[in-house]
Amino acid sequence: MHNQDLSTSLNDCVGHLKRHAVIAYPTEAVFGLGCDPDNESAVMALLALKQRPVEKGLILIASEYAQLEPYVSDRELSVIQRERMFACWPGPVTFVVPAPPHTPRWLTGKFDSLAIRVSDHPDVQALCRAFGKPLVSTSANLSGQPPCRTIEEVKLQFGNDFPVLPGLTGGRQNPSEIRDVITGDLIRQG
């Protein structure tokens, strides 16, 4: 794909996000579904597509930690806990962190915490920079189907008109590792 095509697709995807649509994009291991985390109707549309209950909570991905700070109770983190996160970022490790009371329940679900990741995938980095904020991120697959690893698989599951940022996944076999930033405990093996 030519750089101009990728740039056009990036602008198209940002336009879809600003219109509160759900898009697909490549991540470290699989294609993700994403939307504007601040728009409840966009998040509810994503959850309906996935047939995922809102109570489970979601992951936010970003190009840098500053994009995530409005959603995080950063002052509750110790220096050691922050260092634990920053030692893994950017990269394929998601951390569950305390969330302030104003973080929307459509993101945190039944929890007082939120899962966040600063991705090292260049397409995620470009998308979050162009959008100017983090994205909701969950694997691109319909309930009961395997996560999509190619654009073709996204089109098969979601249709030819579904907005997709073209690109390749980062080649990892497993979704991101998830750790509790407070305890350091492993929640999901990566």
Side-chain angles (χ1 to χ4, degrees), residues 59 72-73 76-78 80-86 88-89 92-99 111-117 176-190:
I59 295 174
V72 174
S73 289
E76 290 184 37
L77 301 179
S78 70
I80 291 169
Q81 291 161 344
R82 259 190 224 92
E83 286 174 355
R84 183 182 293 148
M85 277 192 314
F86 297 149
C88 296
W89 286 346
V93 180
T94 297
F95 283 94
V96 175
V97 299
F111 305 101
D112 292 326
S113 58
L114 183 65
I116 61 171
R117 179 168 83 248
S176 67
E177 177 177 296
I178 300 178
R179 291 194 168 273
D180 184 310
V181 77
I182 303 296
T183 65
D185 291 345
L186 182 67
I187 297 170
R188 178 177 79 187
Q189 181 69 48

Side-chain angles (χ1 to χ4, degrees), residues 48-169:
L49 260 178
K50 287 278 294 185
Q51 298 177 357
R52 179 184 172 96
V54 70
E55 295 79 24
K56 286 180 83 173
L58 292 162
I59 295 174
L60 294 188
I61 59 167
S63 61
E64 59 187 42
Y65 183 65
Q67 291 183 329
L68 296 164
E69 283 184 291
Y71 307 89
V72 174
S73 289
D74 186 72
R75 66 186 178 283
E76 290 184 37
L77 301 179
S78 70
V79 171
I80 291 169
Q81 291 161 344
R82 259 190 224 92
E83 286 174 355
R84 183 182 293 148
M85 277 192 314
F86 297 149
C88 296
W89 286 346
V93 180
T94 297
F95 283 94
V96 175
V97 299
H102 68 265
T103 300
R105 286 287 159 209
W106 62 78
L107 298 176
T108 61
K110 65 180 180 181
F111 305 101
D112 292 326
S113 58
L114 183 65
I116 61 171
R117 179 168 83 248
V118 176
S119 177
D120 63 354
H121 193 287
D123 295 339
V124 171
Q125 290 259 327
L127 187 57
C128 290
R129 274 199 289 285
F131 189 46
K133 59 168 51 172
L135 297 175
V136 166
S137 186
T138 186
S139 61
N141 61 291
L142 297 171
S143 182
Q145 297 292 317
C148 299
R149 292 186 183 265
T150 65
I151 293 169
E152 293 74 22
E153 290 175 2
V154 172
K155 297 289 186 184
L156 279 172
Q157 286 194 41
F158 296 97
N160 285 328
D161 294 331
F162 198 84
V164 181
L165 182 66
L168 299 173
T169 62

